[in-house]
Amino acid sequence: MSGYGLAIHTSSPQLGLALDNRQGDRIWRTWDLDRDLSNYFHQYLAEFLARRTWEDLDFIAVAKGPGSFTSTRIGLVTVRTLAQQFDLPLYTVSSLAAFAWSRRKDYPEDTYLALQMPATRGQLYTGIYRGNSVYLPDSLLTPSEWSDTLDRLTLPYQLLETPSHLGMNAPDVLDLAEIDRSAGKSPHWSSALPFYGN
């Protein structure tokens, strides 16, 4: 039997967990925790994996942000420790990329999804995706810089505002990690870094 991939999404007020063995056994759950993430994260993770052991895992995937600084950091620190302890590949996936992947079937195949997410000081986290490919990597821009970027685009795009609760995209984090894994990538835990926009 194939081992499982585990995805963890902590970069928004909603914790999301997903587990899949690529043989029809996929489960996922979300919890709206907001500031209680640090108090309940490990408990919910243990309960989520209750019928499995860490040795059942083939890899771990995590949302690296953009999003909440503290929540993203909690998720990254946890998975880096787990990946190191159990010698597992650790895939980091952009929160924006996961959201774009979740919406890819809502638009024609040639449509690029231009994503924006509110950041601090009136700025925006932005990125442009098509399927699992990146057209414009995640950036921290002012609204005017983002507007100028979109004005210069000469391809079909749809502008989307990301929702505030992104834990629901944990299965999409898992999908994108699996694509990288199928391509032969096996990132070391030490390369897993958060994206805070700097």
Side-chain angles (χ1 to χ4, degrees), residues 19-73:
L19 195 65
D20 194 341
N21 70 349
R22 300 164 303 285
Q23 293 185 356
D25 186 10
R26 169 174 279 208
I27 59 171
W28 68 92
R29 284 204 55 197
T30 59
W31 298 263
D32 294 336
L33 296 180
D34 200 6
R35 296 181 185 275
D36 287 328
L37 176 71
S38 60
N39 296 326
Y40 294 103
F41 174 39
H42 293 92
Q43 173 189 330
Y44 288 147
L45 178 57
E47 291 174 0
F48 185 73
L49 293 171
R51 292 181 293 121
R52 298 165 188 87
T53 68
W54 293 107
E55 288 73 19
D56 291 330
L57 298 182
D58 281 346
F59 69 92
I60 304 175
V62 64
K64 67 176 180 177
S68 163
F69 178 92
T70 302
S71 298
T72 300
R73 184 174 180 277

Side-chain angles (χ1 to χ4, degrees), residues 55-99:
E55 288 73 19
D56 291 330
L57 298 182
D58 281 346
F59 69 92
I60 304 175
V62 64
K64 67 176 180 177
S68 163
F69 178 92
T70 302
S71 298
T72 300
R73 184 174 180 277
I74 289 170
L76 259 294
V77 168
T78 300
V79 296
R80 280 171 60 101
T81 302
L82 292 171
Q84 179 184 18
Q85 183 173 353
F86 296 104
D87 193 26
L88 294 169
L90 176 53
Y91 299 84
T92 56
V93 175
S94 158
S95 302
L96 297 181
F99 178 67

